[in-house]
Amino acid sequence: QIADVRALQPLLCEGAIEKELEKAFSAGLKPAIAANFFILLTGGDGSSGLYGAMSLAAERALGLAKPEIRTAARSSVASFLTLEAEAELVVKLKNLKALAGPARKATDAAVEADEAVTFCRAVSAMACLLLAAADCGVPRWSGQAIQAVAPYGKTGRPGMQELARKEVQSAIQAFLKLQQSSQTSWTECQQKLTATQLDLLNDNKGKLSYFS
């Protein structure tokens, strides 16, 4: 019921206890919103506003340092994205790209802590778009997602920027693993993407753990 979703809202505010955040994302947020998705988006300003607040909370948690929370939040964000329309996803991708700014090199000057967290959140959310594209069978906007997020697979100062790099590499590997699970799916994927986009995946995937 929609009340179940509302009950989670206090657990997702900024400053919430990390254990409670982890519990909300991993155990409650994703199934509660997925089960009530239609009501949340069509039930009036209150319901759609609640959905937006929950989605933003999940994206905000992508910038937290604790890996268990980021993992649970990533799963939630990617699941929500699979339910959104293409036009909304394209706009979201452009906004996240602008928020993240250019991909950084290990030799670039260090940035302020708040800027690093914003960078990590934005890049990690773009990585979730790639996960959503894989789950949706490589829709038309997949190439745009690859072009936007893949270059961040080589970004690299220690700290939050390195976390963002690992999120991108993990998303690329998950995308490739799913698409290469059969010759048919991989052939179809290759037909939907350009040579440049395929090269971006290959050049920014990092060390492939799933092939070992």
Side-chain angles (χ1 to χ4, degrees):
Q1 300 297 323
I2 194 69
D4 297 330
V5 185
R6 293 188 186 280
L8 291 169
Q9 193 169 18
L11 303 178
L12 301 173
C13 61
E14 290 200 65
I17 300 173
E18 286 194 345
K19 192 64 179 178
E20 295 302 322
L21 274 172
E22 183 181 347
K23 185 189 303 181
F25 285 120
S26 61
L29 183 61
K30 182 171 67 173
I33 290 187
N36 295 278
F37 181 74
F38 180 78
I39 297 175
L40 284 166
L41 291 189
T42 62
D45 292 339
S47 296
S48 60
L50 177 60
Y51 173 79
M54 296 294 186
S55 297
L56 287 174
E59 290 184 17
R60 187 171 63 243
L62 293 172
L64 297 177
K66 191 173 181 181
E68 292 85 357
I69 295 179
R70 289 202 317 276
T71 297
R74 180 172 62 246
S75 177
S76 295
V77 171
S79 295
F80 301 159
L81 291 171
T82 63
L83 302 173
E84 297 191 14
E86 177 180 351
E88 296 172 343
L89 292 173
V90 171
V91 170
K92 181 184 288 288
L93 183 62
K94 291 179 179 179
N95 291 339
L96 290 170
K97 178 73 173 178
L99 187 61
R104 295 168 171 83
K105 300 177 181 178
T107 54
D108 288 347
V111 298
E112 296 294 330
D114 288 348
E115 184 180 348
V117 170
T118 298
F119 175 81
C120 184
R121 286 175 179 169
V123 173
S124 297
M126 283 191 286
C128 289
L129 274 160
L130 190 55
L131 295 175
D135 287 341
C136 291
V138 193
R140 291 185 302 175
W141 51 267
S142 302
Q144 292 174 262
I146 291 169
Q147 289 175 235
V149 74
Y152 295 98
K154 290 183 178 177
T155 197
R157 288 187 64 87
M160 296 304 288
Q161 293 182 38
E162 185 177 9
L163 288 179
R165 173 180 60 81
K166 291 180 179 178
E167 291 287 345
V168 172
Q169 291 180 353
S170 176
I172 291 175
Q173 290 186 34
F175 180 92
L176 290 171
K177 182 178 181 180
L178 183 58
Q179 301 311 312
Q180 295 177 351
S181 61
S182 73
Q183 185 60 48
T184 299
S185 62
W186 180 230
T187 299
E188 291 176 352
C189 177
Q190 290 175 300
Q191 292 172 343
K192 294 175 181 179
L193 302 176
T194 66
T196 298
Q197 291 161 356
L198 290 167
D199 286 343
L200 281 170
L201 290 173
N202 187 59
D203 293 344
N204 295 279
K205 62 191 177 186
K207 295 181 180 180
L208 290 179
S209 58
Y210 74 87
F211 282 132
S212 58

